[in-house]
Amino acid sequence: MRTYVVLVIASVWGAMSFTSLTRAQGTSAGGSVAAELSGRWVSTDHVTFTNPSRAGSAFFLDIVIAKDGTFQGVWDAYTCFSYPGAYSTMIISCSRAKKPAKVRGKFNLTAGNGEIELEQLGRSSFKHMLGPKLNVELPKDWLKQGDPVLYTSQLLHKPK
């Protein structure tokens, strides 16, 4: 049986992007997924998009994950504005709205999914991927109001 490794490289107007994600399952050389996920994880205060359909889809999280997968912390929305970039590309720059609300939930450490409750918005299931960053993705139709939007958050692990 042959095994092939494929590396996808995306190049948009000279900017290179390398992506490598693995589903958070099982164990790795560094220990169990629970050990890898436990601790504080925080999104960046600013996000930028060049695809207008993605603007408004990110949300800020600052959470502490326990060894059993439960988490709590705060979430926040990003407010965005746009301006013209190079080669007639529209740049959408977003910053935290600075109106945090409580968040809590639980990661299913073996299945790559979980449950989240965002104060003032409601409850939803989510998928998560663990790579260099922790990516959290809520279903497009979870808000059940307005147009379906894919809500995502990328978090970095903050050492103690």
Side-chain angles (χ1 to χ4, degrees):
M1 180 172 147
R2 291 185 182 183
T3 303
Y4 296 94
V5 176
V6 178
L7 174 63
V8 177
I9 301 172
S11 176
V12 178
W13 292 298
M16 300 295 282
S17 173
F18 298 89
T19 304
S20 173
L21 294 176
T22 56
R23 190 166 286 284
Q25 293 183 16
T27 60
S28 69
S32 71
V33 172
E36 290 178 43
L37 278 177
S38 64
R40 184 175 178 216
W41 292 83
V42 182
S43 302
T44 61
D45 281 343
H46 306 279
V47 293
T48 303
F49 301 97
T50 55
N51 181 346
S53 67
R54 297 273 304 160
S57 64
F59 65 99
F60 173 86
L61 281 176
D62 183 346
I63 58 174
V64 176
I65 304 173
K67 291 192 186 308
D68 67 353
T70 58
F71 66 89
Q72 61 183 358
V74 296
W75 77 274
D76 201 353
Y78 289 106
T79 55
C80 304
F81 66 93
S82 62
Y83 57 91
Y87 307 105
S88 300
T89 302
M90 189 57 67
I91 306 293
I92 298 107
S93 180
C94 307
S95 300
R96 279 187 62 194
K98 303 282 182 167
K99 296 179 182 178
K102 292 180 183 179
V103 64
R104 65 183 178 161
K106 183 165 182 156
F107 285 88
N108 182 331
L109 301 174
T110 57
N113 59 27
E115 293 286 325
I116 189 169
E117 183 177 347
L118 299 159
E119 184 180 55
Q120 302 170 357
L121 284 183
R123 245 173 218 244
S124 177
S125 61
F126 67 87
K127 295 179 186 175
H128 61 89
M129 303 285 279
L130 181 60
K133 297 178 182 179
L134 174 59
N135 294 298
V136 175
E137 181 179 294
L138 280 63
K140 287 183 181 184
D141 61 350
W142 85 276
L143 271 180
K144 309 223 184 304
Q145 62 186 14
D147 293 330
V149 176
L150 178 65
Y151 286 90
T152 62
S153 187
Q154 287 190 343
L155 300 98
L156 296 171
H157 193 257
K158 295 290 182 180
K160 292 181 181 180

